Coordinates of all heavy atoms in Angstrom, one line a residue:
S29 N -17.6 41.0 -3.2 CA -18.5 40.5 -4.3 C -19.9 40.8 -4.0 O -20.8 40.3 -4.8 CB -18.3 39.0 -4.5 OG -18.7 38.4 -3.3
K30 N -20.3 41.6 -3.0 CA -21.7 41.9 -2.6 C -22.5 40.8 -2.2 O -23.7 40.9 -2.0 CB -22.3 42.7 -3.8 CG -21.6 43.9 -4.2 CD -21.7 45.0 -3.3 CE -21.1 46.2 -3.9 NZ -20.7 47.3 -3.1
K31 N -21.9 39.5 -2.0 CA -22.6 38.4 -1.5 C -22.4 38.3 -0.1 O -21.4 38.6 0.5 CB -22.2 37.1 -2.2 CG -22.5 37.0 -3.7 CD -22.0 35.8 -4.3 CE -22.3 35.7 -5.7 NZ -21.7 34.5 -6.3
P32 N -23.5 37.9 0.7 CA -23.3 37.9 2.2 C -22.3 36.7 2.6 O -22.3 35.7 2.0 CB -24.7 37.6 2.7 CG -25.4 37.0 1.6 CD -24.8 37.5 0.3
R33 N -21.4 37.0 3.5 CA -20.5 36.0 4.0 C -20.9 35.8 5.5 O -21.1 36.8 6.2 CB -19.0 36.5 3.9 CG -18.6 36.6 2.6 CD -17.1 36.9 2.3 NE -16.4 37.4 3.5 CZ -15.1 37.7 3.4 NH1 -14.5 37.7 2.4 NH2 -14.5 38.1 4.6
Y34 N -21.0 34.6 5.9 CA -21.4 34.3 7.3 C -20.3 33.9 8.1 O -19.4 33.2 7.6 CB -22.4 33.2 7.2 CG -23.7 33.6 6.5 CD1 -23.9 33.2 5.2 CD2 -24.7 34.3 7.1 CE1 -25.0 33.6 4.5 CE2 -25.9 34.7 6.4 CZ -26.0 34.3 5.0 OH -27.1 34.7 4.4
S35 N -20.2 34.3 9.4 CA -19.2 34.0 10.3 C -19.8 33.5 11.6 O -20.8 34.1 12.1 CB -18.3 35.2 10.5 OG -17.3 34.9 11.5
C36 N -19.3 32.4 12.2 CA -19.8 32.0 13.4 C -19.2 33.0 14.5 O -18.2 33.7 14.3 CB -19.3 30.6 13.8 SG -17.5 30.3 13.9
Y37 N -19.8 33.0 15.7 CA -19.5 33.9 16.7 C -18.0 33.8 17.2 O -17.3 34.7 17.4 CB -20.4 33.8 17.9 CG -20.2 34.9 19.0 CD1 -20.5 36.2 18.7 CD2 -19.5 34.5 20.2 CE1 -20.2 37.1 19.7 CE2 -19.3 35.5 21.1 CZ -19.7 36.8 20.9 OH -19.4 37.7 21.8
G38 N -17.5 32.5 17.3 CA -16.2 32.3 17.7 C -15.1 32.9 16.8 O -14.1 33.5 17.3
C39 N -15.3 32.7 15.5 CA -14.4 33.3 14.5 C -14.5 34.8 14.5 O -13.5 35.5 14.2 CB -14.7 32.7 13.2 SG -14.3 31.0 13.0
Y40 N -15.7 35.3 14.7 CA -15.9 36.8 14.6 C -15.2 37.5 15.8 O -14.5 38.5 15.6 CB -17.4 37.1 14.7 CG -17.7 38.6 14.7 CD1 -17.5 39.4 13.6 CD2 -18.0 39.2 15.9 CE1 -17.7 40.7 13.6 CE2 -18.3 40.6 15.9 CZ -18.1 41.4 14.7 OH -18.3 42.7 14.7
V41 N -15.2 36.9 17.0 CA -14.5 37.5 18.1 C -13.0 37.4 17.9 O -12.3 38.4 18.2 CB -15.0 36.7 19.4 CG1 -14.1 37.2 20.6 CG2 -16.4 37.0 19.7
K42 N -12.5 36.3 17.4 CA -11.1 36.1 17.2 C -10.6 37.1 16.1 O -9.4 37.6 16.3 CB -10.7 34.7 16.8 CG -10.9 33.7 17.9 CD -10.6 32.3 17.3 CE -11.0 31.2 18.3 NZ -10.8 29.9 17.8
Q43 N -11.3 37.3 15.1 CA -10.8 38.0 13.9 C -11.4 39.4 13.9 O -11.3 40.1 12.7 CB -11.1 37.3 12.6 CG -10.5 36.0 12.5 CD -9.0 36.0 12.5 OE1 -8.5 36.9 11.9 NE2 -8.4 35.1 13.1
K44 N -12.0 40.0 14.9 CA -12.7 41.3 14.8 C -11.7 42.4 14.5 O -10.6 42.5 15.1 CB -13.3 41.5 16.2 CG -14.2 42.7 16.3 CD -14.8 42.9 17.6 CE -15.6 44.2 17.7 NZ -16.2 44.4 19.0
R45 N -12.1 43.1 13.5 CA -11.2 44.3 13.0 C -12.0 45.5 13.2 O -13.3 45.5 13.0 CB -10.8 44.1 11.6 CG -10.1 42.9 11.3 CD -8.5 43.0 11.6 NE -7.8 41.9 11.2 CZ -7.0 41.2 12.0 NH1 -6.9 41.6 13.3 NH2 -6.4 40.2 11.7
F46 N -11.3 46.6 13.4 CA -12.0 47.9 13.5 C -12.0 48.5 12.0 O -11.1 48.2 11.3 CB -11.3 48.9 14.4 CG -11.4 48.4 15.9 CD1 -10.5 47.7 16.5 CD2 -12.6 48.8 16.6 CE1 -10.6 47.3 17.8 CE2 -12.7 48.4 17.9 CZ -11.7 47.7 18.5
T47 N -13.0 49.3 11.7 CA -13.2 49.8 10.4 C -12.2 50.9 10.1 O -11.9 51.2 8.9 CB -14.6 50.3 10.1 OG1 -15.0 51.2 11.1 CG2 -15.6 49.1 10.2
W48 N -11.8 51.7 11.1 CA -10.9 52.8 10.9 C -9.5 52.5 11.5 O -9.5 52.1 12.7 CB -11.5 54.1 11.5 CG -12.7 54.4 10.9 CD1 -14.0 54.3 11.5 CD2 -13.1 54.9 9.6 NE1 -15.0 54.7 10.7 CE2 -14.4 55.1 9.5 CE3 -12.2 55.3 8.6 CZ2 -15.0 55.6 8.3 CZ3 -12.9 55.8 7.4 CH2 -14.2 56.0 7.4
G49 N -8.5 52.7 10.8 CA -7.1 52.6 11.5 C -6.7 51.2 11.7 O -7.2 50.3 11.1
F50 N -5.9 51.0 12.6 CA -5.3 49.7 12.9 C -6.1 49.0 14.1 O -5.8 47.9 14.4 CB -3.8 49.8 13.3 CG -3.0 50.4 12.2 CD1 -2.6 51.7 12.3 CD2 -2.7 49.6 11.1 CE1 -1.8 52.2 11.3 CE2 -1.9 50.2 10.1 CZ -1.5 51.4 10.1
G51 N -7.0 49.6 14.7 CA -7.7 49.0 15.7 C -7.2 49.3 17.1 O -7.9 48.9 18.1
D52 N -6.0 49.9 17.2 CA -5.5 50.1 18.5 C -5.8 51.5 19.0 O -5.5 51.9 20.1 CB -4.0 50.0 18.4 CG -3.5 48.7 18.1 OD1 -4.3 47.7 18.4 OD2 -2.4 48.5 17.6
E53 N -6.5 52.3 18.1 CA -6.8 53.7 18.5 C -8.1 53.8 19.3 O -9.1 53.2 18.9 CB -7.0 54.5 17.2 CG -5.7 54.5 16.4 CD -6.0 54.4 14.9 OE1 -7.2 54.4 14.6 OE2 -5.1 54.6 14.1

Side-chain angles (χ1 to χ4, degrees):
S29 65
K30 304 287 186 196
K31 292 182 181 177
R33 294 184 349 181
Y34 298 98
S35 176
C36 63
Y37 183 73
C39 292
Y40 178 74
V41 170
K42 289 179 191 173
Q43 301 294 325
K44 186 176 176 184
R45 300 275 186 240
F46 292 96
T47 56
W48 302 104
F50 298 105
D52 297 333
E53 299 143 357

